[in-house]
Amino acid sequence: MTARIQVCPFETQDYQSLQYGDARIDRYVTEPAAGVNAQTGFLLLIHGWGNNGQEAYAEESIVYADRFNLVVTRVEFRQCGREAHHPSPGKTYDQPYDFSKLQTIDCLRAAYATLAQYPQIDRSRLMIWGGSQGGHIGAQCLVFAPHLWALAVLNCGVYLPLSGRQSREMGFGLELQANGNGLGFIECALGEGNSFTPAEEDIRNPWKNAALMPPQTPVIIIHGTMDDTVDIKHSVFLQARLLGVGHPTAFYPIENGDHGLSNASFQDENSRLKATLKYAGAALQTSRRTGVDLFPSQPTRIPVRDGSFTVSFQKSGPFLAYLPA
């Protein structure tokens, strides 16, 4: 399997890697077995919170590459897995943890590095797949880089960055049980008693920023009904929000599915890979977007409380900046 996967370092923004001691982190690139041609597309395959990026979805990357003629790129993004300072069985991510602002930039920079490596890739076929926190980052990629994507497939994802108090008030009960002591994902990232500023909370909130996602890009949402790590209400809220802003979307709740969907009632849905092939396979084969420009002249602007963030698209890669009000 490893013979099919290339380890390709790339330079990211504002980071010192534990692996290299500079701004480089790793991306893992899988080509289709038949080779890369003018019809080959691209899939950014994003792992979750605390995963080792080298291992997570390695086998799936080969399936997607071969079945759908895609160059698949996975990312060893900052602060978790091999880039965590003190990885151990009980702690596989740093705290404080960025929670999908700068990890989104890591993933976008990995995408741009792969597109530069393969100029023959069909730019009408640029797609995202994300699971758990990877679903959060995938949704963030739609907000940060709306000019790129032909399709997003989001599995069991976190779409509202909530504190424990907010989770209780909004009825996100299953994930509070899993996190222990009633902690929300914000406390899991920052430590108990800590919170983001309003601007930093807003930039991590793809539910709030859904109107900034590309209106022509379908979003396929998959989530287990018994997910006690990330409550299915995240997907319900995102689906409702996307419908409210007129965005093309489809939602597939997996009956009895847990966070990895392994307990699903139907055998052809009992993993994220199987559910993806069942509900998004046709879209991964056929989704297209015309007129993609990798380097738009105007940056993406994301309004937040107390200011805005911009994402500019330079030859060195996407660059995130904050502009106070």
Side-chain angles (χ1 to χ4, degrees), residues 70-87:
L70 300 168
V71 172
V72 180
T73 293
R74 298 173 297 119
V75 189
E76 193 74 67
F77 52 70
R78 67 186 74 197
Q79 298 180 338
C80 74
R82 295 171 63 238
E83 286 292 339
H85 284 80
H86 302 289

Side-chain angles (χ1 to χ4, degrees), residues 50-73:
N51 291 157
N52 180 321
Q54 189 171 38
E55 299 171 353
Y57 302 116
E59 294 182 5
E60 288 89 337
S61 76
I62 294 172
V63 174
Y64 293 135
D66 292 349
R67 185 168 297 204
F68 302 112
N69 187 20
L70 300 168
V71 172
V72 180
T73 293

Side-chain angles (χ1 to χ4, degrees), residues 127-313:
M127 295 176 275
I128 306 166
W129 187 101
S132 192
Q133 189 202 359
H136 188 202
I137 295 172
Q140 291 278 86
C141 286
L142 293 173
V143 174
F144 283 29
H147 57 288
L148 291 179
W149 309 108
L151 175 71
V153 183
L154 307 179
N155 282 254
C156 310
V158 180
Y159 308 118
L160 290 88
L162 299 176
S163 67
R165 176 186 60 79
Q166 290 169 325
S167 295
R168 286 188 294 275
E169 290 174 351
M170 298 177 70
F172 285 60
L174 287 175
E175 66 192 38
L176 290 173
Q177 297 174 28
N179 292 339
N181 299 318
L183 301 181
F185 284 107
I186 288 179
E187 290 97 347
C188 289
L190 300 181
E192 193 167 357
N194 298 311
S195 60
F196 290 114
T197 66
E200 292 292 338
E201 184 176 323
D202 288 350
I203 193 59
R204 292 168 171 82
N205 193 329
W207 174 82
K208 179 176 182 179
N209 296 321
L212 302 177
M213 297 179 185
Q216 67 271 61
T217 301
V219 179
I220 296 175
I221 302 170
I222 299 168
H223 210 124
T225 63
M226 298 303 292
D227 187 340
D228 62 359
T229 301
V230 178
D231 198 302
I232 193 174
K233 288 186 177 71
H234 282 274
S235 288
V236 173
F237 272 62
L238 181 63
Q239 168 76 354
R241 176 77 168 135
L242 290 171
L243 291 173
V245 298
H247 199 107
T249 180
F251 179 33
Y252 299 100
I254 305 302
E255 181 181 347
N256 290 320
D258 55 8
H259 193 49
L261 305 183
S262 60
N263 291 329
S265 297
F266 301 101
Q267 290 296 306
D268 60 353
E269 300 176 356
N270 67 0
S271 72
R272 293 178 185 172
L273 174 61
K274 289 181 181 179
T276 298
L277 295 177
K278 180 175 181 177
Y279 292 115
L284 286 165
Q285 191 72 58
T286 62
S287 292
R288 300 289 189 279
R289 178 173 178 176
T290 59
V292 172
D293 179 2
L294 297 185
F295 300 101
S297 58
Q298 296 299 315
T300 300
R301 179 177 176 273
I302 307 164
V304 296
R305 286 170 287 180
D306 304 322
S308 64
F309 283 85
T310 62
V311 185
S312 54
F313 297 90

Side-chain angles (χ1 to χ4, degrees), residues 42 115 121-127 148-151 292 294:
F42 168 81
L115 294 172
I121 280 176
D122 181 354
R123 293 183 182 179
S124 74
R125 298 190 66 213
L126 309 182
M127 295 176 275
L148 291 179
W149 309 108
L151 175 71
V292 172
L294 297 185

